[in-house]
Amino acid sequence: MQKLDTFELASGGLAPERSGEAMLPATRSAWLVEHLRQALLDGRYPPGSRLNEVHLSQELDVSRTPVRAALQTLAGEGLLHHQPNKGFTVREFLLTELVEAYDMRALAEGLAARFSAERGLSDDARRTIDAALSDGDRALSGSDDLEAQRAAYAQMNQAFHGAVHTAAKSDLVREVVRICQRVPQASAHNVVAFDLAGIRRRHDMHHAIYHAILAREPQEAERLMREHVVSVKISMIENIARRGR
Amino acid sequence: MQKLDTFELASGGLAPERSGEAMLPATRSAWLVEHLRQALLDGRYPPGSRLNEVHLSQELDVSRTPVRAALQTLAGEGLLHHQPNKGFTVREFLLTELVEAYDMRALAEGLAARFSAERGLSDDARRTIDAALSDGDRALSGSDDLEAQRAAYAQMNQAFHGAVHTAAKSDLVREVVRICQRVPQASAHNVVAFDLAGIRRRHDMHHAIYHAILAREPQEAERLMREHVVSVKISMIENIARRGR
DNA sequence: GCTACTCATATTGTACACATTTTTGATCAG
DNA sequence: CTGATCAAAAATGTGTACAATATGAGTAGC
C-alpha cells in the first residue's frame, strides 16, 4: 500500500511574517489560504502527499481551526483532495491533464480575446498592454543574456495575458483560466523556458492579438489567441520530450 | 465523535432526512456540502443573501463547525462569496454571466466531444448513449402531452451530455462544465423549456454528435457539439426575451 | 433635524476539549 | 517469514467557550 507518511515542510522559521507588513489578510484563515495556495502552485508540497493539520498548525503557529478552514477552501478550489476521516492530500495532476489544460486554456483565452474585442479596451487596459508590449520589444531587442530576456519576457507575458483577461470583463473566463493554470507547470511563468526564436515568434503573436482587439475584430482575436496558446502548448510538449531524452 | 444517531432521532422538521438512504456522506460536513450545494443550485437561497452560521446550524441541527466547513468548501467552489468578519453570502450571477456561461460551455463540451472521438467510446458508454437516444426517440415520437415530452427529454439530455463528459475522460473538462452549470438556469434541466420543434431539432443534433464520435471524427464532433450548445443558448435568450415582454 | 459618538447586541474568528475513526506496530499462530 | 489480530497512538470530526469584529439602537451635541 502507498505510504501515507505525512509531509512536513522543512521548517526553518517558516512561520509567516505577520507584523509590520502592509495589506495583510484580515484573518488567519485568509492568510493561510493565500500562503498555502501559493505553496501548492509553486509545488512546494509533493503531489499526493498528505497535509497533516496538527503539523501545519504547529509550523504556521496557529490553531487547527484556521488551518482546516484554509484546507477546506483549497479543496473546494480543487487544489486539494479530501477524504472523510482521512484528511487532505495534494492533488496530483497527470501529464495528460497538463496537455488538456492547454487545450482548455486555448479556448478560454480565445474567448477572453473575443470578449475584449467585442467590448473594447479601456484607456487603462490599453496603457497596460502598450507598456507590456514595449517592455517585451525592449527586452528582446536588447543584448542581455538569454536568462534575463526570458525573465523579462515571462513578466511581460503575464502582464499581457492578465490585461486581456481583465479586459474581457468576465469572471467566468477568469475562473476557467485560473483552473487551467492550477495544473503545475501550466502557469504563465513556467512556460517561457524555450528558445529565443520561439519567444520572438510568440511576442509577434502578442502584437497581432493586440491589433485584432484594438480593431474590434472578435473572431480574428479569438483565432489568434487560440493559435498562440496552442503554439505554447506544442513548445512545451517538445520541451518535455527533449528533457525526456 | 458525538453520537450521530442523536441527530437522526431528533430530526423532526426542517432537518433533512438521513436515515434509510443509501450512500450517505460519511460526515456531517460532507452531507452539508451536498445539501447546501443542491439548495444553492436550486436557487433556494436568494442571490446576495447572507448565510448566518448560527441560524443554519440550528435549522440543520448540527453545530457551527461542520456548517462552517461546508460554507468554506462552497466558497472555494465559487457558489458563495466570503468577506472576513462579515460571513458568507450567496453569489449573484448577472444575466451577462449566464450568456457567457453558454459560450464557455459550448467550448468545453465541444472539447469533451473532441476527446471522446479521439479516445473512443467504451462499450458501457456506447450502451448508455444508445439508451439515452432511444429514450429520446420514443418520447418525441410518442403522443404524450408536451410537458411529459419535455420531462423525458430533460432526463435524456442530461444522460447524453453526462455520458459524453464521462467518455472524454478529462477531469478538467468536467470541472469547467460544472462551473458553467453553476450559474442558475444554466443547468441542463432548466434549458429545455422550449418549443417541441426546437427539442426535435436538438435531438437530431444529439444523433449527429454521437455519429461523429462513433466515426472517430474529433473535429466534426467538436464542431457539432459547439453548434448544439450555441443553439441552446440562442433558444434560451429568445425564451428570456419572450418572457421579458 | 442631523451627525457623530457610545454602548449593547449579534456575528464571525479562533482555540481547545473530546469523540470517532484510522493508522501503526507489536504480538502471535501457522 | 507471512499474515492476522488487536490495542495503543495518531489523526480527523464535532461541539463549545471565548475573543475579535461588525451591527444597530440610542443619545449627546450642534
Side-chain angles (χ1 to χ4, degrees):
Chain A
M1 186 198 278
Q2 183 177 349
K3 192 159 185 257
L4 276 180
D5 216 0
T6 62
F7 175 78
E8 299 177 39
L9 202 53
S11 64
L14 262 161
E17 188 66 34
R18 299 238 294 288
S19 56
E21 293 294 314
M23 289 306 297
L24 294 176
T27 65
R28 288 160 164 69
S29 305
W31 187 89
L32 284 171
V33 169
E34 290 186 20
H35 176 82
L36 291 173
R37 185 194 290 122
Q38 197 54 54
L40 289 165
L41 291 177
D42 288 351
R44 297 217 293 277
Y45 295 97
S49 66
R50 187 164 170 181
L51 296 180
N52 184 301
E53 296 173 4
V54 175
H55 295 169
L56 275 176
S57 64
Q58 286 170 352
E59 287 161 15
L60 302 171
D61 197 24
V62 294
S63 79
R64 275 179 61 211
T65 306
V67 170
R68 283 177 65 81
L71 296 179
Q72 273 141 3
T73 297
L74 294 169
E77 290 181 14
L79 270 90
L80 298 176
H81 184 62
H82 178 69
Q83 286 179 283
N85 293 312
K86 296 181 77 184
F88 297 86
T89 51
V90 179
R91 172 158 169 189
E92 298 183 85
F93 292 96
L94 306 174
L95 190 57
T96 56
E97 296 186 78
L98 175 58
V99 178
E100 287 167 7
Y102 273 100
D103 284 325
M104 191 72 246
R105 207 183 122 197
L107 299 174
E109 296 228 32
L111 196 59
R114 190 210 299 177
F115 287 159
S116 296
E118 285 174 352
R119 296 164 191 184
L121 295 179
S122 65
D123 292 348
D124 200 48
R126 196 156 42 216
R127 267 194 298 275
T128 303
I129 299 183
D130 272 332
L133 291 180
S134 301
D135 288 352
D137 293 341
R138 205 173 315 116
L140 293 179
S141 67
S143 53
D144 297 339
D145 63 284
L146 184 58
E147 273 318 307
Q149 292 198 13
R150 275 179 179 163
Y153 177 75
Q155 193 176 355
M156 187 282 302
N157 190 50
Q158 269 188 304
F160 176 80
H161 284 272
V164 174
H165 303 157
T166 303
K169 289 176 184 150
S170 165
D171 288 339
L172 191 69
V173 169
R174 250 194 304 274
E175 269 183 272
V176 171
V177 172
R178 185 176 59 71
I179 281 188
C180 293
Q181 294 188 329
R182 207 181 44 182
V183 182
Q185 306 180 54
S187 57
H189 69 275
N190 286 327
V191 302
V192 260
F194 310 135
D195 61 304
L196 194 56
I199 291 178
R200 287 225 163 82
R201 188 156 20 91
R202 245 167 268 126
H203 191 57
D204 289 342
M205 298 180 88
H206 285 161
H207 277 286
I209 292 163
Y210 180 44
H211 196 271
I213 292 175
L214 274 186
R216 310 295 293 267
E217 293 171 356
Q219 287 197 340
E220 183 68 359
E222 180 169 23
R223 191 184 64 77
L224 287 170
M225 182 63 97
R226 275 191 199 165
E227 265 184 32
H228 174 58
V229 177
V230 168
S231 90
V232 175
K233 169 185 120 177
I234 293 171
S235 295
M236 183 213 56
I237 291 175
E238 288 172 350
N239 202 44
I240 288 177
R242 202 175 302 125
R243 282 175 164 234
R245 291 200 303 259
Chain B
M1 196 196 293
Q2 282 75 10
K3 291 277 183 210
L4 283 171
D5 51 9
T6 299
F7 171 75
E8 294 181 10
L9 294 173
S11 67
L14 285 155
E17 188 61 38
R18 287 178 84 215
S19 57
E21 293 294 317
M23 292 303 299
L24 32 100
T27 65
R28 286 161 161 75
S29 305
W31 186 88
L32 284 171
V33 169
E34 291 186 17
H35 176 80
L36 291 173
R37 187 193 289 121
Q38 197 55 53
L40 289 165
L41 292 177
D42 288 352
R44 267 184 271 149
Y45 293 97
S49 65
R50 187 166 170 182
L51 296 180
N52 185 300
E53 297 173 5
V54 176
H55 295 168
L56 275 177
S57 63
Q58 286 170 351
E59 284 164 17
L60 302 170
D61 199 24
V62 293
S63 80
R64 275 179 61 210
T65 305
V67 170
R68 281 178 67 81
L71 296 179
Q72 273 141 3
T73 296
L74 293 169
E77 291 180 14
L79 269 85
L80 298 176
H81 184 63
H82 177 69
Q83 283 179 286
N85 293 312
K86 295 180 79 183
F88 297 87
T89 50
V90 179
R91 173 159 169 187
E92 299 182 85
F93 292 97
L94 305 173
L95 188 58
T96 57
E97 295 186 78
L98 175 58
V99 178
E100 287 167 9
Y102 272 99
D103 284 324
M104 191 72 248
R105 205 181 124 199
L107 298 174
E109 296 228 33
L111 196 59
R114 190 211 301 177
F115 287 158
S116 296
E118 285 174 354
R119 296 166 188 183
L121 294 179
S122 66
D123 292 349
D124 201 47
R126 197 155 42 218
R127 265 194 299 275
T128 303
I129 298 183
D130 271 333
L133 290 181
S134 300
D135 287 352
D137 293 341
R138 204 172 316 116
L140 293 179
S141 67
S143 54
D144 295 340
D145 65 284
L146 182 59
E147 272 318 306
Q149 292 197 14
R150 274 179 179 164
Y153 177 75
Q155 193 176 355
M156 187 281 303
N157 188 49
Q158 268 188 306
F160 175 80
H161 284 272
V164 174
H165 302 157
T166 303
K169 289 176 185 150
S170 165
D171 287 339
L172 191 69
V173 169
R174 249 194 305 273
E175 270 183 273
V176 172
V177 172
R178 185 176 58 72
I179 281 188
C180 294
Q181 295 188 329
R182 203 182 47 182
V183 182
Q185 306 181 51
S187 56
H189 68 275
N190 285 328
V191 302
V192 258
F194 309 135
D195 60 305
L196 194 56
I199 291 178
R200 286 226 163 82
R201 186 155 24 89
R202 247 168 265 125
H203 190 56
D204 289 340
M205 297 179 89
H206 285 162
H207 277 286
I209 292 164
Y210 180 45
H211 195 270
I213 292 175
L214 274 185
R216 311 295 292 267
E217 293 172 356
Q219 287 197 340
E220 183 69 358
E222 181 170 22
R223 190 184 64 78
L224 288 169
M225 183 63 98
R226 275 190 198 167
E227 266 184 32
H228 174 59
V229 177
V230 168
S231 90
V232 176
K233 169 185 118 176
I234 293 171
S235 294
M236 183 212 56
I237 291 175
E238 287 173 351
N239 202 44
I240 288 176
R242 204 174 301 125
R243 282 174 165 236
R245 292 200 303 259

